[in-house]
Amino acid sequence: MNPPSSRRRVAIACQGGGSHTAFTAGVLSRCFDEDVLENYEFVGLSGTSGGAICALVAWSTLVRGHPERAAALLERFWSANSASLPVERVVNSMMLWGARVAEQFGAPTLSPYDSFLSAWSLEHLRTMVNSVIDFEGLTELATEDAAPLLLLGSVDVVSGRLRTFNSRHGEISADAVLSSAAIPSMFRSVSMHGGAYWDGLMTQNPPLRGLMDAAPDELWVIQVNPTSIDYEPSTVSEIANRRNELAGNLALLQELSSLEIFDELIARGELKSERVRPVTIRLMEMQRPPSALRWNATSKLNRDPRFIRELITLGTQQADDFLASIEFERHWQRGDGDSMLDHVARGATISVDVPGVHIAATDDPDEVQNFFTHQLHDLVSLNLTRKRVFRNAVSWELRVHGPDQLATATAEARFQDSLVTRFRLAPPTH
């Protein structure tokens, strides 16, 4: 393994979203593979709700010096959390249909404080967490100077104050992660430190600013709620689902915007401080499978083993393409067109529509080669102060070279099996 100084320092933030965070487990499993750890040092993780559990599991392997165990432990948790037994599958189906009926017809719901099942479910979750995480001695290891940082997002129900449980303060425990996962409609609040805590989905989903204390070079955000969708919601189910997604993204997008403003001020030389450093922001957004679309927001309650496995596999595959896109970008930044071509599939298409240059979509090998080795670097450069967004494709904001120094553009590269299959330069999207 390379010495730490040769690796990029990365913090990973894991958004909450119930069963959808099985996708996050797949992403983290791939990120903690040996070939990735050779190039990246994970200096901090954060999470909320299901994202908090995934972050905790992965972080614990870093703290104990065995990151190669992350995939197995994440698999163990999600296997235990799946509705595998016949009676569990019946209960899972009843919950899904009950939630769908309530969503469609406004059927009355039972308060978790009036339900024995709610209290039992929270304790069952505690048992699953304890079966995967050995908390004994973890606090002592976590508070050492070189230990990676973990932040878990929660909120005090009564005071309304945000609470971020911080590993460097010795605050990581089963209660801390349960408080971050205590969905108000399903669980009673978790009482600790004189407060009553719910998950932080509406307030910090997930915590971002605190991760800057780990001094990362890059911030990778695993987002399970889509920022944009391809249609206007019209049915009751679609509207409820979109409201759920927008609410879950509200705090995340606000924090990302703040971090981008800091990066831009630093790049302009208008902000100089030893405590503030630029950070590359990469946003990996889950590409929802059809099985999630079928149930909309209710699918976040779905514990069907096939659904969980589908999301984990999707996360692993999307992480592969995400990591390939970073390598592609590195070669771009260095102006190494030949190495960029190594990441371009045979038959890939390119198209360009920026001021002064228009190339209709083409897969001609000579044109594609000339574009990446010569034209691209003369046309545009990466705007390093803006986040890179990856879903089914990765997009970058660019600066166009030419007399108008304020001209901007957007690049989009679609990946398949870690290779670029389509690359497009176009006017900026708004």
Side-chain angles (χ1 to χ4, degrees):
M1 185 176 290
N2 296 338
S5 60
S6 69
R7 296 183 292 164
R8 295 281 288 176
R9 294 171 60 87
V10 175
I12 303 179
C14 307
Q15 189 180 50
S19 293
H20 286 191
T21 53
F23 169 82
T24 304
V27 173
L28 292 176
S29 295
R30 177 66 185 96
C31 289
F32 277 59
D33 278 346
E34 184 177 358
D35 64 314
V36 182
L37 293 169
E38 288 177 351
N39 296 306
Y40 301 99
E41 178 186 5
F42 296 115
V43 295
L45 289 102
S46 73
T48 296
S49 196
I53 296 174
C54 291
L56 169 66
V57 173
W59 169 83
S60 71
T61 68
L62 287 175
V63 171
R64 295 193 183 280
H66 296 288
E68 72 281 356
R69 297 189 60 207
L73 291 181
L74 287 163
E75 173 73 27
R76 185 193 301 177
F77 172 80
W78 282 101
S79 220
N81 191 42
S82 299
S84 301
L85 299 175
V87 66
E88 292 177 324
R89 293 187 180 186
V90 170
V91 171
N92 185 60
S93 293
M94 290 174 61
M95 286 186 62
L96 290 174
W97 282 109
R100 171 61 62 84
V101 169
E103 182 182 83
Q104 293 281 354
F105 304 106
T109 56
L110 189 65
S111 165
Y113 291 86
D114 296 328
S115 169
F116 167 77
L117 183 61
S118 170
W120 177 87
S121 297
L122 194 63
E123 289 309 306
H124 182 58
L125 181 57
R126 182 192 301 275
T127 300
M128 286 191 289
V129 170
N130 283 328
S131 71
V132 175
I133 303 295
D134 179 8
F135 287 97
E136 185 175 353
L138 201 56
T139 297
E140 289 74 14
L141 292 171
T143 51
E144 293 178 0
D145 290 341
L149 174 66
L150 176 66
L151 305 174
L152 305 178
S154 187
V155 62
D156 189 312
V157 181
V158 179
S159 70
R161 292 174 183 161
L162 306 185
R163 179 60 191 267
T164 305
F165 296 98
N166 190 318
S167 62
R168 292 183 177 173
H169 301 161
E171 297 175 335
I172 303 304
S173 64
D175 278 341
V177 73
L178 287 177
S179 76
S180 184
I183 301 171
S185 60
M186 295 181 61
F187 301 123
R188 301 175 186 182
S189 65
V190 176
S191 298
M192 57 187 301
H193 306 307
Y197 295 97
W198 277 345
D199 71 358
L201 287 173
M202 297 286 290
T203 52
Q204 42 181 349
N205 187 24
L208 296 185
R209 290 191 188 93
L211 285 174
M212 298 304 102
D213 291 341
D217 299 311
E218 302 197 5
L219 172 63
W220 297 357
V221 181
I222 305 171
Q223 181 181 352
V224 296
N225 290 318
T227 302
S228 62
I229 57 177
D230 300 326
Y231 60 94
E232 180 181 355
S234 57
T235 68
V236 171
S237 177
E238 290 171 346
I239 291 169
N241 182 56
R242 190 57 182 151
R243 287 186 64 185
N244 178 281
E245 293 169 344
L246 292 173
N249 282 339
L250 180 61
L252 169 64
L253 297 179
Q254 288 176 334
E255 285 204 81
L256 285 174
S257 178
S258 297
L259 291 174
E260 285 184 303
I261 289 172
F262 276 112
D263 279 351
E264 191 167 341
L265 291 174
I266 293 169
R268 290 177 182 173
E270 298 175 17
L271 180 62
K272 297 180 180 179
S273 170
E274 294 181 359
R275 297 181 58 189
V276 180
R277 56 184 290 170
V279 59
T280 299
I281 300 172
R282 302 188 189 278
L283 189 64
M284 191 193 318
E285 187 178 306
M286 183 179 80
Q287 185 179 359
R288 290 187 297 173
S291 51
L293 294 172
R294 176 191 171 199
W295 289 100
N296 283 326
T298 304
S299 65
K300 292 180 178 180
L301 305 176
N302 190 1
R303 295 167 51 237
D304 184 285
R306 292 168 299 181
F307 181 60
I308 297 299
R309 172 51 48 197
E310 180 183 21
L311 290 175
I312 291 174
T313 301
L314 176 64
T316 304
Q317 293 172 344
Q318 200 165 324
D320 263 332
D321 289 341
F322 171 79
L323 293 165
S325 76
I326 297 176
E327 288 304 304
F328 180 80
E329 180 189 301
R330 296 268 187 268
H331 300 314
W332 188 352
Q333 284 183 266
R334 291 195 294 265
D336 187 350
D338 290 328
S339 294
M340 290 180 75
L341 279 174
D342 291 338
H343 292 272
V344 178
R346 284 188 179 181
T349 62
I350 60 167
S351 61
V352 179
D353 183 15
V354 295
V357 180
H358 177 78
I359 302 175
T362 178
D363 61 359
D364 180 85
D366 292 334
E367 288 197 52
V368 171
Q369 179 177 356
N370 182 61
F371 174 74
F372 285 113
T373 55
H374 295 96
Q375 290 178 286
L376 178 61
H377 311 289
D378 294 335
L379 287 175
V380 293
S381 58
L382 293 164
N383 182 350
L384 301 179
T385 68
R386 309 304 292 177
K387 63 180 176 290
R388 286 72 146 168
V389 181
F390 187 98
R391 186 161 68 170
N392 56 348
V394 61
S395 62
W396 297 271
E397 292 192 26
L398 312 172
R399 294 188 175 95
V400 178
H401 300 163
D404 183 359
Q405 296 300 313
L406 298 179
T408 61
T410 298
E412 180 183 271
R414 188 174 295 273
F415 282 77
Q416 184 176 337
D417 297 329
S418 301
L419 294 174
V420 175
T421 58
R422 189 183 76 189
F423 188 91
R424 182 172 65 96
L425 286 184
T429 56
H430 298 287

